[in-house]
Amino acid sequence: MIEIGSRTRTLPAPPLVVWESLVEPRRPGARPWLVLLPDEVDPVVLAAEAPGRVVWSSLWPSRPNDQVRFVLTPSGDGGTSLGFTLLTPDEAPDRSKTGHLRKRLNQLLFADLRYSYGQ
């Protein structure tokens, strides 16, 4: 697998809450956060081990073999250190596409998901 990109940031919610958000992003009663673009699809959870690990299928039909792997660890302030790694078994995309994929994951996780927790 080739690493296309990765990032780790802190979210205000505890690991189990973040894990549940990633495993079931459209859970009834949860604040909506997974707002996809027209060229994106809901990810399928390929693997999950509560509360520290989740693997998603690709969000992009044009890149069906990509995966997003998440590692969740407690942060010192009661929140979660959430790290993602975008991987592919195929050729890495060009610079423009790579930038787009990274930007989308950053937006979804470290803006939209973060704000769904009220911060």
Side-chain angles (χ1 to χ4, degrees):
M1 291 279 228
I2 298 169
E3 181 178 312
I4 298 171
S6 65
R7 174 165 270 174
T8 300
R9 295 285 184 261
T10 303
L11 297 178
L16 186 58
V17 172
V18 176
W19 183 87
E20 289 172 345
S21 295
L22 294 172
V23 170
E24 197 175 357
R26 302 201 188 284
R27 181 177 76 249
R31 290 183 182 175
W33 66 272
L34 188 63
V35 179
L36 301 173
L37 297 178
D39 68 335
E40 298 171 341
V41 296
D42 280 342
V44 173
V45 175
L46 302 175
E49 297 172 21
R53 184 175 162 278
V54 178
V55 180
W56 276 0
S57 66
S58 178
L59 292 115
W60 302 280
S62 65
R63 300 199 49 85
N65 298 319
D66 293 355
Q67 292 182 2
V68 184
R69 295 187 183 172
F70 300 100
V71 175
L72 300 83
T73 55
S75 62
D77 59 0
T80 301
S81 175
L82 174 64
F84 80 80
T85 305
L86 177 59
L87 300 162
T88 188
D90 301 326
E91 283 189 38
D94 64 33
R95 268 178 92 108
S96 175
K97 184 70 167 185
T98 296
H100 171 72
L101 301 178
R102 290 178 187 164
K103 181 178 179 180
R104 282 300 294 149
L105 286 171
N106 281 309
Q107 174 69 41
L108 289 170
L109 300 169
F110 304 125
D112 301 345
L113 179 58
R114 170 187 301 282
Y115 299 145
S116 77
Y117 301 130
Q119 295 185 0

